[in-house]
Amino acid sequence: MRVCVIGTGYVGLVTGVCLSNIGHDVICVDNNEEKVKTMKAGRSPIYEPGLDELMEKSIAAGKIEFTTDLAKGVNHAEIMFIAVGTPPLPTGESDTRYVEAVARGIGSHLMSGYKVIVNKSTVPIGSGDWVRGIVLDSIKERQEQGGPPCEAEFDVVSNPEFLREGSAIFDTFNTDRIVLGGSNPKALDMMEQLYKPIIDGEYAEEGTPTPIPVVKTDLSSAEMIKYAANSFLATKISFINEVANICDRVGADVTQVAKGIGLDSRIGPKFLQAGIGWGGSCFPKDVSALVHTADDYGYEAQLLKSAVDVNKRQRGMVVEKLQHELKILKGKTIGLLGLTFKPNTDDMRDAPSLNIVEELNRLGAKVKAYDPIVSQSGLRDGMRGTLVETDPDRLADGCDALVLVTDWEQFKSLDYAAMAKSMTQPLVIDGRNFLDREALQAAGFRYVGMGR
Ligand code: UDX
Ligand code: UDX
């Protein structure tokens, strides 16, 4: 089928590349010229394992094109995805101006045929009708200004994404479900046809149950499914972090507790990793947007607000532990292992490291850091005053303590015995309960975990 994806960010680009890979003809539109130039050259502007290879395959097969020309995309496609950013405003509500701009742009270029406009971006509940209204207004405006008439018909559907950064391609082909929200069965049927190869499991790995279930529902329920899923996962993490904080005080080991409760099929073992909590571009934005929506409708979402509060506090927890161990942090040197909000991504949006760096700077500590991606990428916003090492073995030189901030796999196999020798006092705060406590202690470290 002919597809257009507008907004080639962490979600849009992965969606476009994967759809072109299963045989569709995709045009990816982005208003950032630099990004389009990079993608035309076959390189992805974001770090996502496996994406470059898939992009090259699709480009070689002539199944994908990158452009800033929205009109071209709109008139090529029978299904067009809006996947532009919906970042949080300071108030916590979603900033939907980019979605609005794209919807207006679509309305000004729609000419003929039947089109499905897909909200891929996480938009506030009830936005599907709002997008429809904007497109209709834009068509009307164009005709009032003597523009070409519009013979096109369209429907708006919601097709929320559940992609985790760092495993977005796997999550696309092995998703637990596909959610389609809309009022016109014709539009939902077209979407089902679009995803058919994925639904049938043609690209699924061993163990992914197929056919992949498709949830067809109304617009608002589909939009709520996205918010409820992210909010539940975020709350589950804040739950285990609350338990970890109590474990710290009673001397229990939260990793054992997580194992013991995770074996209950009603709870499940995933998203029970206690530590410095959640960051990234989705959980913080989506939970605060849902809280904001509840407020708008006169309901106080106490549980969600508490999950946000617990999460905010977790970042400060590692600094408190440093203070407990080192007393005065002023003049001390702290080495951060990892900066991104999670491993296998280059995304620094709302990364816990940003708050940790800020707090350590405020207390007068010197900060060094090493991150597998950030150290190479030259990305330094939010890293004011931080010495970003390019060699992990150098990180420990002269440090009074190390803090594991991001659970990058390679941090398991660093030479901690050598690192201990280059530290004034080998202390490690394991912010993700990720390191082997016994191995670190054998290497000469005092090991402090989060709830263990
Ligand atoms: C976005 C939303 O933020 C998220 O809520 C949703 O779940 C998926 O899509 P992400 O892909 O991370 O997530 O957005 P971002 O990385 O900010 O990419 C947005 C892209 O849209 C950027 O490449 C930007 O250049 C482009 N864009 C933005 C447009 O092409 N047109 C615009 O008007 C605005
Ligand atoms: C999340 C959702 O998982 C995905 O379905 C949605 O589409 C986008 O948001 P993402 O934010 O990319 O994906 O990463 P995820 O793996 O969910 O981790 C989110 C944050 O939670 C990270 O900061 C991670 O470090 C933290 N986390 C995750 C924990 O602290 N403990 C856990 O057990 C799991």
Side-chain angles (χ1 to χ4, degrees):
M1 296 169 88
R2 294 185 312 312
V3 176
C4 162
V5 177
I6 306 153
T8 55
Y10 286 92
V11 174
L13 183 55
V14 170
T15 302
V17 169
C18 288
L19 287 174
S20 64
N21 234 268
I22 65 173
H24 299 300
D25 293 309
V26 178
I27 291 186
C28 291
V29 180
D30 200 294
N31 67 357
N32 180 316
E33 307 245 349
E34 270 312 297
K35 284 192 179 184
V36 171
K37 220 161 71 191
T38 308
M39 294 184 289
K40 276 179 184 290
R43 283 194 319 281
S44 133
I46 55 164
Y47 175 82
E48 185 59 54
L51 189 57
D52 282 0
E53 293 78 12
L54 278 193
M55 258 175 94
E56 270 157 42
K57 225 169 104 192
S58 293
I59 293 172
K63 301 298 277 181
I64 198 165
E65 200 185 313
F66 303 99
T67 176
T68 54
D69 180 353
L70 180 58
K72 182 175 186 185
V74 168
N75 289 303
H76 157 81
E78 48 198 311
I79 295 180
M80 51 192 97
F81 287 85
I82 301 178
V84 293
T86 49
L89 290 167
T91 57
E93 62 188 315
S94 286
D95 180 355
T96 53
R97 79 179 102 137
Y98 304 119
V99 173
E100 185 170 351
V102 168
R104 262 206 310 280
I106 291 172
S108 61
H109 297 307
L110 268 183
M111 301 307 272
S112 60
Y114 173 71
K115 309 270 179 177
V116 177
I117 298 173
V118 187
N119 269 341
K120 193 72 175 168
S121 294
T122 307
V123 289
I125 291 146
S127 300
D129 303 323
W130 171 70
V131 166
R132 179 174 183 78
I134 295 169
V135 176
L136 289 172
D137 288 351
S138 171
I139 292 172
K140 204 155 123 269
E141 208 176 291
R142 174 182 108 194
Q143 285 170 323
E144 275 160 11
Q145 286 161 4
C150 170
E151 273 107 48
E153 290 194 353
F154 70 94
D155 283 296
V156 176
V157 307
S158 165
N159 172 221
E161 47 86 19
F162 303 100
L163 309 180
R164 289 164 300 164
E165 288 181 18
S167 55
I169 293 172
F170 176 85
D171 290 345
T172 300
F173 293 131
N174 300 274
T175 182
D176 293 328
R177 76 308 203 179
I178 286 172
V179 174
L180 301 171
S183 52
N184 185 344
K186 177 179 175 186
L188 301 190
D189 291 347
M190 274 173 75
M191 292 300 292
E192 214 165 1
Q193 193 195 338
L194 177 81
Y195 285 122
K196 189 157 178 8
I198 294 177
I199 293 164
D200 294 347
E202 283 175 37
Y203 297 82
E205 313 234 334
E206 277 304 301
T208 299
T210 53
I212 289 172
V214 178
V215 175
K216 285 184 181 177
T217 182
D218 61 278
L219 260 174
S220 297
S221 303
E223 289 158 352
M224 177 58 91
I225 287 170
K226 170 69 183 172
Y227 281 105
N230 272 0
S231 298
F232 179 81
L233 292 168
T235 305
K236 188 175 183 185
I237 293 166
S238 283
F239 170 81
I240 199 65
N241 281 333
E242 182 114 294
V243 169
N245 298 335
I246 301 167
C247 284
D248 256 339
R249 287 155 179 77
V250 301
D253 181 339
V254 72
T255 58
Q256 299 303 307
V257 173
K259 189 171 162 204
I261 65 173
L263 288 166
D264 182 323
S265 60
R266 296 164 302 172
I267 296 174
K270 294 180 182 169
F271 281 63
L272 284 177
Q273 188 189 349
I276 55 179
W278 32 276
S281 73
C282 284
F283 281 1
K285 155 174 75 68
D286 292 353
V287 180
S288 62
L290 186 53
V291 168
H292 199 85
T293 298
D295 285 346
D296 280 352
Y297 288 82
Y299 174 78
E300 197 201 342
Q302 289 164 302
L303 178 65
L304 298 182
K305 283 183 176 175
S306 306
V308 171
D309 293 345
V310 167
N311 190 60
K312 272 205 189 91
R313 231 175 31 193
Q314 285 308 104
R315 302 174 175 201
M317 211 68 85
V318 288
V319 178
E320 282 165 32
K321 287 172 183 279
L322 282 170
Q323 286 174 307
H324 181 263
E325 297 295 327
L326 300 177
K327 306 303 175 237
I328 305 296
L329 293 187
K330 193 174 175 54
K332 294 281 186 349
T333 302
I334 311 296
L336 304 185
L337 281 166
L339 290 168
T340 52
F341 85 95
K342 64 179 282 195
N344 302 316
T345 183
D346 60 354
D347 203 343
M348 288 290 291
R349 287 179 285 187
D350 201 6
S353 60
L354 298 172
N355 301 83
I356 294 167
V357 165
E358 198 178 334
E359 182 62 3
L360 288 173
N361 284 338
R362 192 182 67 78
L363 293 167
K366 286 201 238 33
V367 184
K368 296 174 71 178
Y370 170 77
D371 181 281
I373 292 274
V374 175
S375 292
Q376 320 309 334
S377 73
L379 232 161
R380 292 293 179 270
D381 41 355
M383 293 290 120
R384 186 173 45 79
T386 303
L387 169 63
V388 180
E389 289 284 1
T390 50
D391 172 358
D393 300 332
R394 299 286 315 282
L395 175 70
D397 293 357
C399 281
D400 296 293
L402 294 180
V403 179
L404 182 113
V405 173
T406 311
D407 38 336
W408 283 96
E409 196 53 35
Q410 63 179 268
F411 292 153
K412 276 208 164 91
S413 50
L414 295 181
D415 183 350
Y416 287 103
M419 290 168 94
K421 290 196 184 70
S422 62
M423 292 175 69
T424 40
Q425 40 196 336
L427 165 68
V428 61
I429 311 285
D430 186 353
R432 296 282 182 190
N433 288 340
F434 179 67
L435 298 172
D436 178 337
R437 174 170 49 191
E438 286 60 42
L440 269 287
Q441 286 165 339
F445 277 87
R446 191 160 67 257
Y447 176 96
V448 175
M450 304 284 282
R452 68 182 304 217

